[in-house]
């Protein structure tokens, strides 16, 4: 959800396609079982939808819903507003998650953790639920409890990945810059 975009950003067009459709295609590079967290009435035309259990509690509520509705051990969480993430990065992320065995595997780029482009073990749902029930919606603070595998920026660079792939679309200005850089 984003009121700054003037409408639901999932339907914003970039490269002639809704960014939601782009994100779904990208996620299917690493898994066939893809779900959308949100309102079934709005998103069911795009695929299987899981609705939030804890509504209006931000990204942690969405992560909780996704993991609670999952039957797989490892789960990619990918925000719809990250249209520059590359398929080869998601494959690398999944590989690192399998190697590490960590409850959460996520990158750090531009000095910020990227919890909305990460691999979570299904068990993180219980950690998220406890936090949400207690009115705490911040994701990063939970990482102290679960000791994630953090892919630092140096490792990203060695792997040939730029921190620019985590640039998100939050405002109309972000969208205009993205369109200009893609020469739409």
């Amino acid at each position: 959800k984003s009121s700054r975009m003037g409408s639901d950003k999932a339907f914003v067009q970039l490269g002639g396609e809704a960014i939601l459709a782009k994100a779904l295609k990208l996620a299917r590079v690493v898994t066939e079982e893809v779900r959308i967290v949100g309102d079934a009435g709005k998103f069911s035309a795009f695929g299987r939808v899981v609705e939030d259990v804890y509504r209006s509690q931000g990204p942690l509520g969405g992560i909780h819903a996704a993991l609670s509705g999952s039957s797989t051990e490892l789960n990619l969480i990918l925000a719809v507003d990250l249209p520059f993430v590359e398929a080869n990065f998601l494959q690398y992320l999944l590989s690192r998650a399998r190697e590490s065995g960590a409850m959460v595997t996520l990158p750090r780029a531009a000095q910020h953790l990227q919890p909305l482009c990460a691999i979570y073990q299904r068990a993180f749902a219980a950690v998220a639920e406890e936090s949400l029930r207690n009115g705490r919606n911040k994701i990063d603070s939970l990482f102290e409890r679960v000791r994630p595998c953090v892919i630092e920026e140096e490792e990203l660079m060695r792997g040939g990945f730029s921190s620019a792939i985590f640039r998100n679309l939050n405002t109309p200005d972000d969208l205009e810059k993205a369109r200009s850089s893609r020469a739409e």
Side-chain angles (χ1 to χ4, degrees), residues 60-128:
L60 185 59
I63 291 169
H64 171 266
L67 297 176
S68 294
S70 175
S71 61
T72 60
E73 183 58 30
L74 295 178
N75 297 270
L76 168 66
I77 299 294
L78 179 63
V80 70
D81 64 354
L82 294 172
F84 304 107
V85 172
E86 301 165 350
N88 59 343
F89 174 72
L90 293 185
Q91 291 166 329
Y92 180 78
L93 182 65
L94 181 58
S95 171
R96 290 289 282 121
R98 287 179 173 145
E99 288 171 9
S100 74
M103 189 174 287
V104 181
T105 302
L106 74 163
R108 184 187 325 262
Q111 301 172 354
H112 297 286
L113 292 173
Q114 302 295 319
L116 299 179
C117 183
I119 303 289
Y120 290 78
Q121 288 184 8
R122 187 175 57 229
F124 188 82
V127 175

Side-chain angles (χ1 to χ4, degrees), residues 14-32:
L14 184 63
E17 185 174 34
I19 60 172
L20 174 57
K22 289 177 157 314
L24 294 170
K25 283 182 192 173
L26 184 60
R28 287 186 181 105
V29 167
V30 294
T31 182
E32 291 179 19

